[in-house]
Structure formats: C-alpha cells, structure tokens
Amino acid sequence: DIQMTQSPSTLSASVGDRVTITCRASQSISRWLAWYQQKPGKAPKLLIYKASSLESGVPSRFSGSGSGTEFTLTISSLQPDDFATYYCQQYNSYSWTFGQGTNVEIK
Amino acid sequence: QVQLVQSGAEVKKPGASVKVSCKASGNTFTRHFMHWVRQAPGQGLEWMAIINPSGDRANYAQKFQGRVTMTRDTSTSTVHMELNSLRSEDTAVYYCASHYYDSTGYPIPFQHWGQGTLVTVSS
C-alpha cells in the first residue's frame, strides 16, 4: 500500500495567519490526492480533489498544489471555523490511504 | 446527490464478528464505488475496503486482508462490511463513503459519507 506522511502533526496558528500543510507519498500518485477537514464527532468533509480542484461550496481561501509525491494544502487567511483536523488521501490505486492528520489549533 | 445512512451502534465481545450496513438513496448510486473507513477514538482515518458498482469486485487494505468482507446488494442499494475475530483495537467509528467518475472520466473522491457507526469491542 502507498504510505502518506503529513507534516506537521499539530500546528498552532492565529486567525488571519497563512497556514500550509504538507503531504508526501511513498511513490508517485500523479495528482490523485484529496484533502479533507474533520471536526470532532463529524464525518470528514471534502475540500480539495485532484490535488488542486476546489470542491463546490468550499471557501476560496483553501487551495492545494503539487504532483507526484509532494503536495500542500494552504489556507490563505485562517478563520475561526477552520480550526479542525486535516487529512490528505491518495486515490491513485485500488487501495486508498490517508495521511495521519494535522490538527490546526488556536495559538 | 447520494445520501448514506448507516446501521446503529454495536457492542461485541473479543473474537466475535460484526456486520455494519450502509443504505444509499439517490438515483446516481448505481455509478458509485463504495468504501469503508474507520477511526479509532482520538486517532486518524484508516481506509479499509472498496467495492465496485456491480458488487463483484472488492479490494481490502493489507492490514485487514482475511478478516474483512465487503458486499453490495444492488437490489436494496445497501453495502455491508463484516469484520471477524474482533479485538479491542477494532473499537472505532466505522464510516461508509463513496466515490464516482465524473463526465471526463476523473474520479471524484469522498463527497458523500455516512453518519458513522460506533463499534465497541469489550469483554
């Protein structure tokens, strides 16, 4: 199975900050990468797919980039509603995997 | 749009089996691949399994090979996940989720999720 490694595991930031989360794949996955946001007690929510395509209804302050093995999720100006856990996910093969998650907390 | 509704919480003893269901509504479900994802308390998301729209091909994460079976009943738009030889580490919320291919042939990952089913394994 393809391994996904996210960094950092925890990120402390303030409202208005620019935030970047990185995800690395153990082998090339082209652009078959998604990002999800999860809040406690809720199912994850799709934010980005195909590395940089913004899901309908997701604010434009979220953006994704990368290809091959290196990917990033950027929040241009952190809002109070954005404090949550973020996961990357590869879907390059018939066996999908998630990163271990990044908890974005209030500084 | 697809809505996914899962079966209720379960409590099982170590060594037992559990079967969780996920019923879909929405006229595009027949094109959706279905998955199971689990999340142990305080832990991250863990992908477990996928089944194709016709229900004749399933694939499982290496970690669960031989212990999990995913099935699909196209007549009732329901998928099932059975996990055997339960241990305490299997205590988790189990989610079903779906993906499909858009008009250009690209996969659209998990837009749709079930509400989650808590499975507790305890003696």
Side-chain angles (χ1 to χ4, degrees):
Chain A
D1 293 350
I2 298 173
Q3 307 303 315
M4 305 300 293
T5 304
Q6 274 182 248
S7 60
S9 298
T10 304
L11 191 158
S12 298
S14 301
V15 172
D17 284 353
R18 181 181 181 87
V19 164
T20 299
I21 300 168
T22 299
C23 183
R24 179 177 291 113
S26 60
Q27 64 189 73
S28 178
I29 57 170
S30 185
R31 292 176 59 81
W32 303 121
L33 184 101
W35 290 97
Y36 297 86
Q37 177 193 68
Q38 188 181 32
K39 295 184 178 179
K42 300 290 188 182
K45 173 187 173 184
L46 178 65
L47 299 175
I48 302 279
Y49 61 96
K50 211 168 73 177
S52 61
S53 295
L54 193 68
E55 170 68 350
S56 176
V58 174
S60 59
R61 62 181 179 270
F62 291 92
S63 64
S65 65
S67 65
T69 61
E70 297 276 340
F71 301 88
T72 59
L73 172 70
T74 300
I75 309 172
S76 60
S77 178
L78 199 64
Q79 298 302 301
D81 190 49
D82 301 339
F83 292 97
T85 302
Y86 294 83
Y87 295 92
C88 63
Q89 176 200 46
Q90 68 81 19
Y91 51 104
N92 181 65
S93 63
Y94 212 58
S95 181
W96 297 22
T97 44
F98 289 94
Q100 79 276 20
T102 295
N103 181 33
V104 177
E105 61 180 27
I106 300 173
K107 192 171 185 179
Chain B
Q1 281 288 354
V2 169
Q3 277 117 23
L4 304 174
V5 178
Q6 298 182 219
S7 51
E10 303 264 10
V11 179
K12 296 292 182 180
K13 293 195 182 302
S17 297
V18 68
K19 192 170 187 177
V20 183
S21 301
C22 171
K23 184 171 176 60
S25 60
N27 56 12
T28 61
F29 175 68
T30 54
R31 296 193 287 119
H32 284 238
F33 290 70
M34 296 299 297
H35 303 248
W36 288 96
V37 174
R38 78 176 187 180
Q39 187 168 38
Q43 302 300 308
L45 301 170
E46 185 171 33
W47 180 85
M48 297 179 68
I50 179 176
I51 195 165
N52 65 352
S54 60
D56 60 358
R57 183 187 176 194
N59 193 50
Y60 307 111
Q62 276 188 323
K63 176 178 179 176
F64 301 103
Q65 291 272 2
R67 210 161 64 92
V68 67
T69 303
M70 187 173 184
T71 56
R72 182 171 188 149
D73 185 341
T74 55
S75 66
T76 61
S77 300
T78 303
V79 293
H80 306 274
M81 186 280 300
E82 184 168 23
L83 188 61
N84 302 316
S85 303
L86 289 168
R87 34 206 188 236
S88 58
E89 309 89 87
D90 294 318
T91 294
V93 175
Y94 290 76
Y95 293 101
C96 61
S98 74
H99 92 266
Y100 66 97
Y101 290 81
D102 68 10
S103 58
T104 63
Y106 290 130
I108 305 298
F110 301 163
Q111 284 180 338
H112 309 290
W113 293 76
Q115 81 275 21
T117 296
L118 176 62
V119 174
T120 303
V121 183
S122 173
S123 54

